[in-house]
Structure formats: C-alpha cells, structure tokens
C-alpha cells in the first residue's frame, strides 16, 4: 500500500527498505518466562551451595569442640603417664620390676604426647578450613568460642514425626525439579506455537530498478506461515512431550533417592544415639570402678598400679564418649541439613520470584 504516491520525475539511484523480523507474541512470552525460570534455578543453586557451606561449617564447629575436649583428656593422660613412669622407675631401681616395663612406661608417655601433637595439628587444619569457608586467609587470626558449640551448631534441632514431608516440601532439590518441569512444559508450548503464523510489517521506497514511475513510499503488513516443513513441527511436539515424560520419571527417581537419604540419615541418628548412651554407661562404670579401686588403695587393699590402670580405663571411656557424642551430633547435623533447617535459621531467604 502506498503511503506517498510516486512522483513522475525522479533521478534517484537508490531505494530503502525496512522490514521487521517475524514476530510471534506467544513465542516471545514463552521465551521471557523461560528466562525467568532459568534465573530462579540459578538462585536455587546458589541457595543449595549456601546450605552445603553451612553444613560444613557446623561440622567444623563440632569437630573443633571435640578436639578441645580430647585435648583436655590428653593433658590428663600425659600427667597419668608421667606418674606411671615415675612409679615404674622407682620399682626398677628397687629391683621390683623388669627393664621392659620401664620401656613400656616411656613409650606410653611418648604416645600420650604424640596424641596431643596430633590434636594440635588437626585443630590447625580445621581452623584453616573454616577460614576458607568464611572467606578469610590462613594468616588471619580466628578466635572461636566453643563453650556451647554443639547447641549452637544444632540450634536445638529435633526431627519430629512430620519432619520428612515438611523437609521435602522445603527442599531445594524439589523446587529445582518443579522449575525444571515447568521449563519443559514451556518447550511443549513453544513447539505448539510454531503453528501460529508470524507477523511482519515493513516500509520501503519504490524500487529504482523495476519502477521508473518516480519517488514513492509504501508499507507492507502480513502473516508468514510455512506451507510445508516436512512434518518438523509435529515431530518437535512429540519430542518435547517425550522429554517431559522422561523428566517426570527422573523427578520420581530423584525424590526416591532423597527419601532414601533421609531414611538412612534417621537410621544413622538412631544408631548414633544408642552408641552414645552405651558409651555413657561405660563411662559411668569406669568412673565407679576407679572410685572403688582408689578407695581400696587408701585402705591398703589395692596397688598403685591398679589405681593407674583404672584411671587409664576411665580416660579411655571418656574419650569414647566424646567421640560417640561427635558422631551423634554430626548425624543430627546432616539430618538438619537435609531438612534445610539451617537455611531457615542462618541464611536470609533469597527471593526467587523476580
């Protein structure tokens, strides 16, 4: 259609043409929605990484607290080994024991000191790991208060009877799977939108090579739709529907794997709790035995060697109780990590709607 009628005389040697690209409002809307979903997936992946870092940080706090407790027991072990060495040395000088027993006492003292060195090295490595997590250099000074590290790391987390369904509803994995399915539904919609004609609009001057009638300007408005494409559009719809069904199967598999991890974590927590209670009973028995032998030593019914041995047994029982406590707390920490309880407690909720 002519906007300006061509003039009768024109010596112009060029022509201009402006034509828009094919435009489909449905395809444009689908593309915009897909970009938003991709952004939301990126945000969820970021939140998942934050949750993983919080889990590692909580483990670091629990392990540091355990090392501090073991270090305190280690100092008692060193003192006990020194007392045993003095006792054996005196017996050796009196001819009441063999040199082999003196060497064993010396080795016991060396092992107690080596255990302290191992604890110190492990503590340094844990601190360096925590510094890396929080973005500090290894040379930076980091002073942590571990007086109540277990309570602080767990924050009173106690899984209830409805913890698993609530945890799955809050799980980042479930949200990412839901967004992924929505993306694939958009792919089906985009495949169907290929049957909608594209809209074109343009404007151009008269062609100087074919139209010698003079200067002019006209516009074009129309729809573009392929008459034959070899059934490509139909096959694309079938492919996207098949991909959606496959993704649904993948989502069911992912959910089953998550539920299996939750069940294993609950079982590990129950088992760790039982082991901790058993270690507590062993510690009480060792304490009672040490008290009994110490009382017998005061009355002359027990030897000093028996007193030292019961104190060794008590320290070993206390050491096992500390280790079992760590295992129980780490099992509870992992269950809290699966429930994303730490995300709600420590990390600000990142908006994903925009």
């Amino acid at each position: 259609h002519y906007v300006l009628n061509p003039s009768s005389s024109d010596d112009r040697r060029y022509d201009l043409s402006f034509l828009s690209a094919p435009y489909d409002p449905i395809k444009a809307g689908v593309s915009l929605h897909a970009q938003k979903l991709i952004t939301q997936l990126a945000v969820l992946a970021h939140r998942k990484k934050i949750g993983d870092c919080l889990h590692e940080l909580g483990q670091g706090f629990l392990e540091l607290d355990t090392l501090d407790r073991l270090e305190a027991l280690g100092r008692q072990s060193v003192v006990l080994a020194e007392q045993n060495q003095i006792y054996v040395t005196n017996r050796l000088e009196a001819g009441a024991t063999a040199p082999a027993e003196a060497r064993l006492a010396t080795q016991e003292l060396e092992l107690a000191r080596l255990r302290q060195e191992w604890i110190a090295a492990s503590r340094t490595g844990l601190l360096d790991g925590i510094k890396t997590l929080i973005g500090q250099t290894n040379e930076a000074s980091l002073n942590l208060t571990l007086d109540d590290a277990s309570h602080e790391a767990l924050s009173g987390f106690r899984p209830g009877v409805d913890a698993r369904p609530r945890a799955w509803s809050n799980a980042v994995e479930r949200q990412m799977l839901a967004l992924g399915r929505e993306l694939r539904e958009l792919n089906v919609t985009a495949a169907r939108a290929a049957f909608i004609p594209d809209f074109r609009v343009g404007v151009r001057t008269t062609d100087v090579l074919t139209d010698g009638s003079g200067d002019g300007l006209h516009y074009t408005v129309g729809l573009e739709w392929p008459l034959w494409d070899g059934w490509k559009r139909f096959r694309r719809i079938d492919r996207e529907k098949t991909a959606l069904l496959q993704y649904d199967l993948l989502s069911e598999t992912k959910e089953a794997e998550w539920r299996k991890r939750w069940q294993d974590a609950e079982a590990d927590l129950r088992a760790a709790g039982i082991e901790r209670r058993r270690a507590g009973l062993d510690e009480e028995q060792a304490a009672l035995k040490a008290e009994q032998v110490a009382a017998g030593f005061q009355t002359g019914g027990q030897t000093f060697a028996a007193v030292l041995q019961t104190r060794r047994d008590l320290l070993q029982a206390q050491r096992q109780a500390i280790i079992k406590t760590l295992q129980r707390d780490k099992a509870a920490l992992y269950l809290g990590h699966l429930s994303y309880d730490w995300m709600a407690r420590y990390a600000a909720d990142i908006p994903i709607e925009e």
Side-chain angles (χ1 to χ4, degrees):
H1 182 82
Y2 280 101
V3 179
L4 295 176
N5 291 326
S7 61
S8 58
S9 62
D10 186 16
D11 57 357
R12 180 168 49 83
R13 295 295 181 266
Y14 64 90
D15 60 86
L16 298 176
S17 178
F18 300 95
L19 186 64
S20 68
Y23 175 72
D24 186 344
I26 296 180
K27 293 180 182 178
V30 168
S31 177
L32 181 61
H33 193 186
Q35 292 296 327
K36 291 183 178 180
L37 291 178
I38 293 173
T39 301
Q40 293 175 17
L41 281 171
V43 172
L44 286 175
H46 181 62
R47 292 179 62 184
K48 187 175 185 301
K49 188 62 178 178
I50 291 176
D52 294 340
C53 289
L54 287 174
H55 180 225
E56 293 183 26
L57 188 62
Q59 282 186 322
F61 265 76
L62 292 177
E63 291 172 359
L64 280 175
D65 180 51
T66 298
L67 288 179
D68 282 358
R69 295 173 185 271
L70 290 177
E71 186 179 20
L73 288 181
R75 289 193 294 268
Q76 298 181 38
S77 296
V78 171
V79 172
L80 188 64
E82 290 173 345
Q83 292 177 351
N84 181 59
Q85 187 182 43
I86 295 173
Y87 171 72
V88 172
T89 301
N90 292 335
R91 284 173 54 84
L92 180 64
E93 292 176 352
T97 188
E101 186 175 354
R103 289 197 297 270
L104 288 175
T106 301
Q107 290 179 355
E108 180 184 352
L109 179 58
E110 292 177 355
L111 287 174
R113 289 171 176 170
L114 284 176
R115 189 180 295 114
Q116 291 296 91
E117 293 179 8
W118 176 85
I119 290 175
S122 299
R123 195 176 194 278
T124 300
L126 281 174
L127 286 174
D128 290 342
I130 291 177
K131 290 176 185 178
T132 301
L133 280 176
I134 63 178
Q136 289 191 358
T137 62
N138 291 339
E139 294 76 15
S141 177
L142 184 62
N143 297 320
L144 301 177
T145 301
L146 302 173
D147 296 337
D148 200 10
S150 176
H151 178 75
E152 184 177 354
L154 297 176
S155 295
F157 171 74
R158 292 294 182 272
V161 293
D162 61 338
R164 184 171 64 181
R166 187 176 68 253
W168 175 243
S169 64
N170 295 331
V172 172
E173 290 90 342
R174 184 198 63 79
Q175 299 177 46
M176 295 180 72
L177 288 172
L179 290 177
R181 190 183 195 283
E182 192 172 351
L183 270 175
R184 280 150 183 81
E185 290 177 343
L186 286 178
N187 290 338
V188 176
T189 302
R192 290 172 175 169
F195 285 94
I196 301 176
D198 294 329
F199 176 75
R200 280 183 177 272
V201 62
V203 61
R204 70 179 179 86
T205 62
T206 54
D207 191 346
V208 297
L209 298 177
T210 60
D211 192 346
S213 59
D215 193 10
L217 186 66
H218 67 91
Y219 67 88
T220 58
V221 178
L223 300 175
E224 184 180 277
W225 189 73
L227 294 177
W228 175 254
D229 61 355
W231 308 107
K232 292 181 179 179
R233 287 170 290 179
F234 288 100
R235 290 198 297 270
R236 182 187 173 190
I237 292 176
D238 291 338
R239 285 197 305 269
E240 296 299 342
K241 286 183 176 179
T242 301
L244 180 59
L245 292 175
Q246 292 175 343
Y247 189 80
D248 287 340
L249 294 176
L250 176 64
S251 298
E252 293 176 2
T253 302
K254 293 292 186 181
E255 181 177 355
E257 291 175 353
W258 184 92
R259 293 183 184 278
K260 180 63 167 58
R261 290 200 304 271
W262 180 273
Q263 291 173 355
D264 292 343
E266 284 185 322
D268 291 343
L269 179 58
R270 287 193 296 268
I274 293 173
E275 289 294 321
R276 174 60 185 87
R277 290 194 294 272
R278 186 180 66 83
L281 292 175
D282 291 341
E283 181 183 359
E284 292 179 5
Q285 290 181 354
L288 291 174
K289 183 67 175 178
E291 183 179 351
Q292 181 184 24
V293 172
F297 176 73
Q298 296 294 331
T299 60
Q302 293 288 346
T303 64
F304 185 68
V307 173
L308 291 177
Q309 184 59 46
T310 55
R311 290 177 62 185
R312 290 193 197 95
D313 295 340
L314 176 58
L315 288 175
Q316 179 62 23
Q318 291 174 337
R319 188 177 294 109
Q320 285 298 314
I322 291 174
I323 293 174
K324 295 301 181 181
T325 299
L326 173 64
Q327 294 175 353
R328 182 201 60 191
D329 290 346
K330 289 177 73 172
L333 184 71
Y334 179 66
L335 196 62
H337 171 61
L338 286 181
S339 69
Y340 287 91
D341 185 74
W342 318 135
M343 289 293 297
R345 293 176 183 268
Y346 294 116
D349 190 18
I350 304 173
I352 62 172
E353 297 299 330
E354 297 183 2

